[in-house]
Coordinates of all heavy atoms in Angstrom, one line a residue:
M22 N 16.7 -2.0 -5.9 CA 16.6 -3.3 -6.6 C 15.2 -3.7 -6.8 O 14.4 -3.6 -5.8 CB 17.4 -4.4 -5.8 CG 17.5 -5.7 -6.6 SD 18.3 -7.0 -5.6 CE 19.9 -6.3 -5.2
K23 N 14.8 -4.1 -8.0 CA 13.4 -4.4 -8.3 C 12.9 -5.5 -7.4 O 13.5 -6.5 -7.2 CB 13.3 -4.7 -9.7 CG 11.9 -4.7 -10.2 CD 11.8 -4.9 -11.7 CE 10.4 -4.8 -12.2 NZ 10.3 -5.0 -13.7
G24 N 11.7 -5.3 -6.8 CA 11.0 -6.3 -6.0 C 11.4 -6.3 -4.6 O 10.8 -7.0 -3.7
R25 N 12.4 -5.4 -4.2 CA 12.8 -5.3 -2.8 C 12.3 -4.0 -2.2 O 12.4 -3.0 -2.8 CB 14.3 -5.4 -2.6 CG 14.8 -6.8 -2.9 CD 16.3 -6.9 -2.6 NE 16.5 -6.7 -1.2 CZ 17.8 -6.7 -0.7 NH1 18.8 -6.9 -1.4 NH2 17.9 -6.6 0.6
N26 N 11.8 -4.1 -1.0 CA 11.3 -2.9 -0.3 C 12.4 -2.3 0.6 O 12.4 -2.8 1.8 CB 10.0 -3.3 0.4 CG 9.3 -2.0 0.9 OD1 9.6 -0.9 0.5 ND2 8.3 -2.2 1.8
I27 N 13.2 -1.4 0.2 CA 14.3 -0.9 1.0 C 13.8 0.4 1.6 O 13.4 1.4 0.9 CB 15.5 -0.6 0.1 CG1 16.0 -1.9 -0.5 CG2 16.6 0.0 1.0 CD1 17.1 -1.7 -1.5
P28 N 13.9 0.5 3.0 CA 13.4 1.8 3.6 C 14.3 3.0 3.2 O 15.5 2.8 3.0 CB 13.6 1.5 5.1 CG 13.8 0.0 5.2 CD 14.3 -0.5 3.9
D29 N 13.7 4.1 3.1 CA 14.4 5.3 2.7 C 15.6 5.6 3.5 O 16.7 6.0 3.0 CB 13.5 6.5 2.8 CG 12.6 6.6 1.6 OD1 12.8 5.8 0.6 OD2 11.6 7.4 1.6
N30 N 15.6 5.3 4.8 CA 16.7 5.7 5.7 C 17.9 4.7 5.5 O 19.0 4.9 6.1 CB 16.3 5.8 7.2 CG 15.8 4.4 7.7 OD1 15.6 3.5 6.9 ND2 15.7 4.3 9.0
L31 N 17.8 3.7 4.7 CA 18.9 2.8 4.4 C 19.4 3.0 3.0 O 20.3 2.3 2.6 CB 18.4 1.3 4.6 CG 18.1 0.9 6.1 CD1 17.7 -0.6 6.1 CD2 19.2 1.2 7.0
C32 N 18.8 3.9 2.3 CA 19.2 4.1 0.9 C 20.1 5.2 0.8 O 19.8 6.4 1.1 CB 17.9 4.3 0.0 SG 18.3 4.6 -1.7
A33 N 21.4 5.0 0.3 CA 22.4 6.1 0.3 C 21.9 7.3 -0.5 O 22.2 8.4 -0.1 CB 23.7 5.5 -0.4
V34 N 21.2 7.1 -1.6 CA 20.8 8.3 -2.3 C 19.7 9.1 -1.6 O 19.4 10.2 -2.0 CB 20.3 7.9 -3.8 CG1 21.5 7.3 -4.6 CG2 19.2 6.9 -3.7
A35 N 19.1 8.5 -0.6 CA 18.0 9.2 0.1 C 18.6 10.0 1.3 O 17.8 10.7 2.0 CB 17.0 8.3 0.6
V36 N 19.9 9.8 1.6 CA 20.5 10.5 2.8 C 20.7 12.0 2.5 O 21.1 12.4 1.4 CB 21.8 9.8 3.1 CG1 22.6 10.6 4.2 CG2 21.6 8.4 3.6
D37 N 20.4 12.8 3.5 CA 20.6 14.3 3.4 C 22.1 14.5 3.5 O 22.7 14.3 4.5 CB 19.9 15.0 4.5 CG 20.1 16.5 4.5 OD1 20.8 17.0 3.5 OD2 19.6 17.2 5.3
L38 N 22.7 14.9 2.3 CA 24.2 15.1 2.3 C 24.7 16.2 3.1 O 25.9 16.3 3.4 CB 24.6 15.3 0.8 CG 24.4 14.1 -0.1 CD1 24.8 14.4 -1.5 CD2 25.2 12.9 0.4
S39 N 23.8 17.1 3.6 CA 24.3 18.2 4.4 C 24.9 17.7 5.7 O 25.6 18.4 6.4 CB 23.1 19.2 4.7 OG 22.1 18.5 5.5
D40 N 24.5 16.5 6.1 CA 25.1 15.9 7.3 C 26.6 15.4 7.1 O 27.3 15.0 8.0 CB 24.3 14.7 7.8 CG 23.0 15.2 8.4 OD1 22.9 16.3 8.8 OD2 22.0 14.3 8.4
M41 N 27.0 15.4 5.8 CA 28.3 14.8 5.5 C 29.3 15.8 5.0 O 30.3 15.5 4.5 CB 28.1 13.8 4.3 CG 27.2 12.6 4.7 SD 27.0 11.5 3.3 CE 25.9 10.3 4.0
L42 N 29.0 17.1 5.2 CA 29.9 18.1 4.8 C 31.1 18.1 5.6 O 31.1 17.9 6.8 CB 29.2 19.5 4.9 CG 27.9 19.6 4.0 CD1 27.4 21.0 4.1 CD2 28.2 19.3 2.6
T43 N 32.3 18.3 5.0 CA 33.6 18.2 5.7 C 34.2 19.5 6.1 O 35.2 19.5 6.8 CB 34.6 17.5 4.8 OG1 34.7 18.2 3.6 CG2 34.1 16.0 4.5
G44 N 33.6 20.6 5.8 CA 34.2 21.9 6.1 C 34.4 22.1 7.5 O 35.3 22.9 7.9
D45 N 33.7 21.4 8.4 CA 33.8 21.7 9.8 C 35.0 21.0 10.4 O 35.6 21.5 11.4 CB 32.6 21.1 10.6 CG 31.3 21.9 10.3 OD1 31.5 23.1 9.8 OD2 30.2 21.4 10.5
W46 N 35.5 19.9 9.9 CA 36.6 19.2 10.5 C 37.9 19.2 9.7 O 38.9 18.8 10.2 CB 36.2 17.8 10.9 CG 35.7 16.9 9.8 CD1 34.3 16.7 9.5 CD2 36.4 16.2 8.8 NE1 34.2 15.9 8.4 CE2 35.5 15.6 8.0 CE3 37.8 16.1 8.5 CZ2 35.8 14.8 6.9 CZ3 38.1 15.3 7.4 CH2 37.2 14.7 6.6
R47 N 37.9 19.8 8.5 CA 39.1 19.8 7.6 C 40.2 20.6 8.3 O 39.9 21.7 8.8 CB 38.7 20.4 6.3 CG 39.8 20.3 5.3 CD 39.4 21.1 4.0 NE 38.9 22.4 4.3 CZ 37.6 22.8 4.0 NH1 36.8 22.0 3.4 NH2 37.2 24.0 4.3
A48 N 41.4 20.1 8.4 CA 42.5 20.8 9.0 C 43.3 21.7 8.0 O 43.8 22.7 8.3 CB 43.5 19.8 9.6
L49 N 43.3 21.2 6.7 CA 44.0 21.9 5.6 C 43.0 22.2 4.5 O 42.1 21.4 4.2 CB 45.2 21.1 5.1 CG 46.3 20.8 6.1 CD1 47.3 19.8 5.4 CD2 47.1 22.0 6.5
R50 N 43.3 23.3 3.8 CA 42.4 23.5 2.6 C 43.3 23.9 1.4 O 44.4 24.5 1.6 CB 41.4 24.7 2.8 CG 42.1 26.0 2.9 CD 41.1 27.2 2.8 NE 40.0 27.1 3.8 CZ 39.0 27.9 3.8 NH1 38.8 28.8 2.8 NH2 38.1 27.9 4.8
P51 N 42.9 23.5 0.2 CA 43.7 23.8 -1.0 C 43.4 25.2 -1.4 O 42.2 25.7 -1.5 CB 43.2 22.8 -2.0 CG 41.8 22.5 -1.6 CD 41.7 22.6 -0.1
V52 N 44.5 25.9 -1.8 CA 44.4 27.3 -2.3 C 45.0 27.3 -3.7 O 46.2 26.9 -3.8 CB 45.0 28.3 -1.4 CG1 45.0 29.7 -2.0 CG2 44.3 28.3 0.0
V53 N 44.3 27.7 -4.7 CA 44.8 27.6 -6.1 C 45.3 29.0 -6.5 O 44.7 30.0 -6.3 CB 43.7 27.2 -7.0 CG1 44.2 27.2 -8.5 CG2 43.1 25.8 -6.7
D54 N 46.6 28.9 -7.0 CA 47.2 30.1 -7.6 C 46.6 30.2 -9.1 O 46.9 29.5 -10.0 CB 48.7 30.0 -7.7 CG 49.4 31.2 -8.2 OD1 48.7 32.0 -9.0 OD2 50.5 31.5 -7.9
R55 N 45.7 31.1 -9.2 CA 45.0 31.2 -10.5 C 45.9 31.6 -11.7 O 45.6 31.3 -12.8 CB 43.8 32.3 -10.4 CG 42.8 31.9 -9.4 CD 41.7 33.0 -9.2 NE 40.8 32.6 -8.2 CZ 39.8 33.4 -7.9 NH1 39.5 34.5 -8.5 NH2 39.0 33.0 -6.9
D56 N 47.0 32.3 -11.4 CA 47.9 32.6 -12.5 C 48.7 31.4 -13.0 O 49.1 31.3 -14.1 CB 48.9 33.7 -12.0 CG 48.2 35.0 -11.7 OD1 47.2 35.3 -12.4 OD2 48.7 35.7 -10.9
K57 N 48.9 30.4 -12.1 CA 49.6 29.2 -12.5 C 48.7 28.1 -13.1 O 49.1 27.3 -13.8 CB 50.3 28.5 -11.2 CG 51.5 29.3 -10.7 CD 52.1 28.6 -9.6 CE 53.4 29.3 -9.1 NZ 53.9 28.5 -7.9
C58 N 47.4 28.1 -12.7 CA 46.5 27.1 -13.2 C 46.3 27.2 -14.7 O 46.0 28.2 -15.2 CB 45.1 27.2 -12.5 SG 43.9 26.0 -13.1
V59 N 46.4 26.0 -15.4 CA 46.3 26.0 -16.8 C 45.0 25.2 -17.2 O 44.9 24.8 -18.4 CB 47.5 25.4 -17.5 CG1 48.7 26.3 -17.3 CG2 47.8 24.0 -17.0
K60 N 44.2 24.9 -16.2 CA 42.9 24.1 -16.5 C 43.2 22.8 -17.1 O 42.4 22.4 -18.0 CB 42.0 25.0 -17.3 CG 41.4 26.2 -16.6 CD 40.3 26.8 -17.3 CE 39.0 26.0 -17.3 NZ 37.9 26.7 -17.9
C61 N 44.2 22.1 -16.6 CA 44.5 20.8 -17.2 C 43.5 19.7 -16.7 O 43.4 18.6 -17.2 CB 45.9 20.4 -16.9 SG 46.2 20.1 -15.2
A62 N 42.9 20.0 -15.5 CA 41.9 19.1 -14.9 C 42.5 17.9 -14.2 O 41.8 16.9 -13.9 CB 40.8 18.6 -15.9
V63 N 43.8 17.9 -14.0 CA 44.4 16.7 -13.3 C 43.9 16.7 -11.9 O 43.6 15.6 -11.3 CB 46.0 16.9 -13.3 CG1 46.6 15.9 -12.3 CG2 46.5 16.6 -14.7
C64 N 43.7 17.8 -11.2 CA 43.2 17.8 -9.9 C 41.8 17.3 -9.8 O 41.4 16.5 -8.9 CB 43.2 19.3 -9.3 SG 42.4 20.5 -10.4
W65 N 41.0 17.6 -10.8 CA 39.6 17.1 -10.9 C 39.7 15.5 -11.1 O 38.9 14.8 -10.5 CB 38.9 17.7 -12.1 CG 37.6 17.1 -12.4 CD1 36.4 17.5 -11.9 CD2 37.3 16.1 -13.4 NE1 35.4 16.7 -12.4 CE2 35.9 15.8 -13.3 CE3 38.1 15.3 -14.2 CZ2 35.3 14.9 -14.1 CZ3 37.5 14.4 -15.0 CH2 36.1 14.2 -15.0
L66 N 40.6 15.1 -11.8 CA 40.7 13.6 -12.1 C 41.1 12.9 -10.8 O 40.5 11.8 -10.6 CB 41.8 13.4 -13.1 CG 42.0 12.0 -13.7 CD1 40.8 11.5 -14.4 CD2 43.2 11.9 -14.6
Y67 N 42.0 13.4 -10.0 CA 42.5 12.7 -8.8 C 41.6 12.9 -7.5 O 41.7 12.1 -6.6 CB 43.9 13.1 -8.5 CG 44.9 12.3 -9.4 CD1 45.3 12.8 -10.6 CD2 45.4 11.1 -9.0 CE1 46.2 12.1 -11.4 CE2 46.3 10.4 -9.8 CZ 46.7 10.9 -11.0 OH 47.6 10.2 -11.8
C68 N 40.9 14.0 -7.4 CA 40.2 14.3 -6.2 C 39.2 13.1 -5.8 O 38.3 12.8 -6.6 CB 39.4 15.6 -6.3 SG 38.4 15.9 -4.8
P69 N 39.4 12.5 -4.7 CA 38.7 11.3 -4.3 C 37.2 11.6 -4.0 O 36.4 10.7 -4.0 CB 39.4 10.8 -3.1 CG 40.1 12.0 -2.5 CD 40.4 12.8 -3.6
V70 N 36.9 12.9 -3.8 CA 35.4 13.2 -3.5 C 34.8 14.0 -4.6 O 33.7 14.5 -4.4 CB 35.3 13.9 -2.1 CG1 35.7 12.9 -1.0 CG2 36.1 15.1 -2.0
Q71 N 35.5 14.2 -5.7 CA 35.0 14.9 -6.8 C 34.4 16.3 -6.5 O 33.3 16.7 -6.8 CB 33.9 14.1 -7.5 CG 34.5 12.9 -8.3 CD 35.3 13.4 -9.5 OE1 34.8 13.9 -10.5 NE2 36.7 13.3 -9.4
C72 N 35.2 17.1 -5.7 CA 34.7 18.4 -5.3 C 35.4 19.5 -6.1 O 35.3 20.7 -5.8 CB 34.9 18.6 -3.8 SG 36.6 18.7 -3.2
I73 N 36.3 19.2 -7.1 CA 36.9 20.2 -7.9 C 35.9 20.8 -8.8 O 35.1 20.1 -9.5 CB 38.1 19.6 -8.7 CG1 39.2 19.0 -7.7 CG2 38.7 20.7 -9.6 CD1 40.0 20.1 -7.0
R74 N 35.9 22.1 -8.9 CA 34.9 22.9 -9.7 C 35.7 23.7 -10.8 O 36.8 24.2 -10.5 CB 34.1 23.8 -8.9 CG 33.3 23.0 -7.8 CD 32.1 22.2 -8.5 NE 31.4 21.5 -7.5 CZ 31.6 20.2 -7.2 NH1 32.5 19.5 -7.9 NH2 30.9 19.5 -6.3
E75 N 35.1 23.8 -12.0 CA 35.7 24.6 -13.1 C 35.2 26.0 -13.1 O 34.0 26.3 -12.9 CB 35.3 23.9 -14.4 CG 35.9 24.6 -15.6 CD 35.6 24.0 -16.9 OE1 34.7 23.1 -16.9 OE2 36.2 24.4 -17.9
H76 N 36.1 26.9 -13.2 CA 35.8 28.3 -13.4 C 36.3 28.8 -14.7 O 36.8 28.0 -15.5 CB 36.4 29.2 -12.2 CG 35.9 28.7 -10.9 ND1 34.7 29.1 -10.4 CD2 36.5 27.9 -10.0 CE1 34.5 28.5 -9.2 NE2 35.6 27.8 -8.9
A77 N 36.1 30.1 -15.0 CA 36.5 30.6 -16.4 C 37.9 30.3 -16.8 O 38.1 29.8 -17.9 CB 36.2 32.1 -16.4
T78 N 38.9 30.6 -15.9 CA 40.3 30.3 -16.2 C 41.0 29.5 -15.2 O 42.2 29.4 -15.3 CB 41.0 31.7 -16.4 OG1 40.9 32.4 -15.2 CG2 40.4 32.5 -17.6
W79 N 40.3 28.9 -14.3 CA 41.0 28.1 -13.3 C 40.0 27.1 -12.7 O 38.8 27.1 -12.9 CB 41.6 29.0 -12.1 CG 40.6 29.4 -11.1 CD1 40.3 28.9 -9.9 CD2 39.7 30.6 -11.3 NE1 39.3 29.6 -9.3 CE2 38.9 30.7 -10.1 CE3 39.5 31.6 -12.2 CZ2 38.0 31.6 -9.9 CZ3 38.6 32.5 -12.0 CH2 37.8 32.6 -10.8
F80 N 40.6 26.1 -12.0 CA 39.8 25.1 -11.2 C 40.1 25.4 -9.7 O 41.2 25.8 -9.4 CB 40.3 23.7 -11.5 CG 39.8 23.1 -12.8 CD1 39.7 23.8 -14.0 CD2 39.4 21.8 -12.8 CE1 39.2 23.3 -15.1 CE2 38.9 21.2 -14.0 CZ 38.8 22.0 -15.1
D81 N 39.1 25.1 -8.9 CA 39.4 25.1 -7.4 C 38.4 24.2 -6.8 O 37.6 23.5 -7.4 CB 39.4 26.5 -6.8 CG 38.0 27.2 -6.8 OD1 37.0 26.5 -7.1 OD2 38.0 28.4 -6.5
A82 N 38.5 24.1 -5.4 CA 37.7 23.1 -4.7 C 36.5 23.7 -4.1 O 36.5 24.8 -3.6 CB 38.6 22.5 -3.6
D83 N 35.4 22.9 -4.1 CA 34.2 23.2 -3.3 C 34.5 22.9 -1.9 O 34.6 21.7 -1.5 CB 33.0 22.4 -3.9 CG 31.8 22.7 -3.1 OD1 31.8 23.4 -2.0 OD2 30.7 22.3 -3.5
L84 N 34.7 23.9 -1.1 CA 35.1 23.7 0.3 C 34.1 23.1 1.2 O 34.3 22.7 2.3 CB 35.7 25.0 0.9 CG 37.0 25.5 0.2 CD1 37.4 26.8 0.7 CD2 38.1 24.5 0.3
K85 N 32.9 23.0 0.7 CA 31.8 22.4 1.5 C 32.1 20.9 1.6 O 31.7 20.2 2.6 CB 30.4 22.6 0.9 CG 29.9 24.1 1.0 CD 28.5 24.2 0.6 CE 28.1 23.8 -0.8 NZ 28.8 24.6 -1.8
T86 N 32.7 20.3 0.6 CA 32.9 18.9 0.6 C 34.4 18.4 0.5 O 34.7 17.3 0.7 CB 32.1 18.2 -0.6 OG1 32.4 18.9 -1.8 CG2 30.6 18.3 -0.3
C87 N 35.3 19.4 0.3 CA 36.7 19.1 0.3 C 37.1 18.6 1.7 O 36.8 19.2 2.7 CB 37.5 20.3 -0.1 SG 39.3 20.2 0.2
K88 N 37.8 17.5 1.7 CA 38.3 17.0 3.0 C 39.7 17.3 3.4 O 40.2 16.9 4.4 CB 38.0 15.4 3.1 CG 38.8 14.6 2.1 CD 38.5 13.2 2.3 CE 39.2 12.3 1.3 NZ 39.0 10.9 1.4
G89 N 40.4 18.0 2.5 CA 41.7 18.5 2.8 C 42.8 17.4 2.7 O 43.8 17.6 3.3
C90 N 42.6 16.4 1.9 CA 43.6 15.3 1.8 C 44.9 15.8 1.1 O 45.9 15.1 1.3 CB 43.0 14.2 1.1 SG 42.6 14.5 -0.7
G91 N 44.9 16.8 0.3 CA 46.1 17.3 -0.4 C 46.5 16.5 -1.7 O 47.5 16.8 -2.2
I92 N 45.7 15.6 -2.1 CA 46.0 14.8 -3.3 C 46.1 15.8 -4.5 O 47.0 15.7 -5.3 CB 45.0 13.7 -3.5 CG1 45.2 12.6 -2.4 CG2 45.2 13.1 -4.9 CD1 44.1 11.5 -2.5
C93 N 45.2 16.7 -4.6 CA 45.2 17.6 -5.7 C 46.5 18.4 -5.8 O 47.0 18.6 -6.9 CB 44.0 18.5 -5.6 SG 43.9 19.5 -4.1
A94 N 46.9 18.8 -4.6 CA 48.2 19.6 -4.6 C 49.4 18.8 -5.0 O 50.3 19.3 -5.7 CB 48.4 20.2 -3.2
R95 N 49.4 17.5 -4.6 CA 50.5 16.6 -4.9 C 50.5 16.3 -6.4 O 51.6 16.2 -7.0 CB 50.4 15.3 -4.1 CG 51.0 15.4 -2.7 CD 51.4 14.1 -2.2 NE 50.3 13.1 -2.2 CZ 49.3 13.1 -1.2 NH1 49.4 13.9 -0.2 NH2 48.4 12.2 -1.3
E96 N 49.3 16.2 -7.0 CA 49.3 15.8 -8.4 C 49.3 17.0 -9.4 O 49.6 16.7 -10.6 CB 48.0 15.0 -8.7 CG 47.9 13.7 -7.8 CD 49.1 12.7 -8.2 OE1 49.6 12.8 -9.3 OE2 49.4 11.9 -7.3
C97 N 49.0 18.2 -9.0 CA 49.0 19.3 -9.9 C 50.3 19.5 -10.6 O 51.3 19.8 -10.0 CB 48.6 20.6 -9.2 SG 48.7 22.1 -10.2
P98 N 50.4 19.3 -11.9 CA 51.7 19.4 -12.6 C 52.3 20.9 -12.7 O 53.4 21.0 -12.9 CB 51.3 19.0 -14.1 CG 49.9 19.2 -14.2 CD 49.3 19.0 -12.8
Q99 N 51.4 21.8 -12.4 CA 51.9 23.2 -12.4 C 52.3 23.7 -11.0 O 52.7 24.9 -10.8 CB 50.8 24.1 -12.9 CG 50.3 23.8 -14.3 CD 51.5 24.0 -15.3 OE1 52.2 25.0 -15.3 NE2 51.6 23.1 -16.2
H100 N 52.1 22.8 -10.0 CA 52.3 23.2 -8.6 C 51.5 24.5 -8.3 O 52.0 25.4 -7.6 CB 53.8 23.5 -8.3 CG 54.7 22.3 -8.7 ND1 54.7 21.1 -8.0 CD2 55.5 22.1 -9.8 CE1 55.5 20.2 -8.6 NE2 56.0 20.8 -9.7
A101 N 50.3 24.5 -8.7 CA 49.4 25.7 -8.5 C 48.6 25.6 -7.3 O 47.9 26.6 -6.9 CB 48.5 25.8 -9.8
I102 N 48.7 24.5 -6.6 CA 47.8 24.3 -5.4 C 48.7 24.2 -4.1 O 49.6 23.4 -4.0 CB 46.9 23.0 -5.5 CG1 46.1 23.1 -6.8 CG2 46.0 22.9 -4.3 CD1 45.3 21.8 -7.1
L103 N 48.3 25.1 -3.2 CA 49.1 25.1 -1.9 C 48.1 24.7 -0.8 O 46.9 25.1 -0.8 CB 49.6 26.5 -1.6 CG 50.4 26.7 -0.4 CD1 51.7 25.9 -0.5 CD2 50.7 28.2 -0.1
M104 N 48.5 23.7 0.1 CA 47.6 23.3 1.2 C 47.9 24.3 2.4 O 49.1 24.4 2.8 CB 47.9 21.9 1.6 CG 47.5 20.9 0.5 SD 45.8 21.0 -0.2 CE 44.9 20.5 1.3
V105 N 46.9 24.9 2.9 CA 47.1 25.9 3.9 C 46.3 25.5 5.1 O 45.1 25.0 5.0 CB 46.5 27.3 3.4 CG1 46.6 28.3 4.5 CG2 47.3 27.7 2.2
E106 N 46.8 25.7 6.3 CA 46.1 25.3 7.5 C 44.9 26.2 7.6 O 44.9 27.4 7.4 CB 47.0 25.5 8.8 CG 48.0 24.5 8.9 CD 48.8 24.6 10.2 OE1 48.2 25.1 11.2 OE2 49.9 24.1 10.3
E107 N 43.8 25.6 8.1 CA 42.5 26.4 8.2 C 42.7 27.6 9.1 O 42.1 28.6 8.9 CB 41.4 25.4 8.8 CG 40.9 24.5 7.7 CD 40.1 25.2 6.6 OE1 39.7 26.3 6.8 OE2 39.8 24.5 5.6
A108 N 43.5 27.4 10.1 CA 43.7 28.6 11.1 C 44.3 29.8 10.4 O 44.2 30.9 10.9 CB 44.5 28.1 12.3
E109 N 45.0 29.5 9.3 CA 45.7 30.6 8.6 C 44.8 31.4 7.7 O 45.2 32.5 7.2 CB 46.9 30.1 7.8 CG 48.0 29.4 8.7 CD 49.1 28.8 7.8 OE1 49.1 29.1 6.6 OE2 49.9 28.1 8.3
V110 N 43.6 30.9 7.4 CA 42.8 31.7 6.4 C 41.6 32.2 7.1 O 41.3 32.0 8.3 CB 42.3 30.7 5.3 CG1 43.5 30.5 4.3 CG2 41.8 29.4 5.8
Ligands
SF4_218 S1 45.9 20.3 -11.7 FE1 46.7 22.3 -11.3 S2 46.9 23.3 -13.3 FE2 45.6 21.5 -13.5 S3 43.5 22.4 -13.4 FE3 44.1 21.6 -11.3 S4 45.0 23.5 -10.3 FE4 44.9 23.9 -12.5
SF4_219 S1 42.3 18.4 -0.9 FE1 41.6 16.4 -1.4 S2 39.3 16.5 -1.2 FE2 40.1 18.6 -1.3 S3 40.0 19.2 -3.5 FE3 42.1 18.4 -3.1 S4 41.9 16.2 -3.6 FE4 39.8 17.0 -3.4

């Protein structure tokens, strides 16, 4: 905000995001069936942390920031996303 002197350590955009990665504590991870994915981007639209990434013929999650909530799997109209326990992969 103009005219205010906000210390860097209180400014959200100045925080090192590597401290906020969720891969360490996520219990489930989304696995995309690339043959079923039609690149409709519904998963991208609903993902609360915006970690869905586009590839040539499919979308999948950036597992560094995916928290494993499963919303993408519930919303995918093609049922192309399966939530799998981390221990299984
Ligand atoms: S919602 Fe399902 S079909 Fe659509 S892009 Fe995501 S994974 Fe692919
Ligand atoms: S499991 Fe949740 S956080 Fe991970 S990609 Fe799907 S909607 Fe995003």
Side-chain angles (χ1 to χ4, degrees):
M22 187 183 301
K23 195 173 183 182
R25 291 188 61 183
N26 190 13
I27 301 173
D29 280 351
N30 65 345
L31 295 182
C32 177
V34 294
V36 170
D37 179 0
L38 292 177
S39 63
D40 289 339
M41 300 180 180
L42 301 183
T43 56
D45 289 344
W46 54 261
R47 184 184 53 241
L49 299 172
R50 71 164 60 189
V52 176
V53 177
D54 183 334
R55 297 178 186 183
D56 293 332
K57 288 184 178 177
C58 177
V59 295
K60 289 191 74 175
C61 65
V63 169
C64 53
W65 174 84
L66 186 66
Y67 278 91
C68 176
V70 296
Q71 285 296 288
C72 69
I73 299 289
R74 300 289 177 261
E75 181 180 10
H76 299 281
T78 58
W79 77 96
F80 279 42
D81 68 10
D83 178 350
L84 296 175
K85 290 193 300 298
T86 51
C87 167
K88 61 182 181 178
C90 66
I92 292 173
C93 56
R95 279 201 303 278
E96 298 299 332
C97 174
Q99 301 297 318
H100 307 289
I102 305 175
L103 184 66
M104 297 305 292
V105 176
E106 287 189 27
E107 284 291 345
E109 294 178 11
V110 286

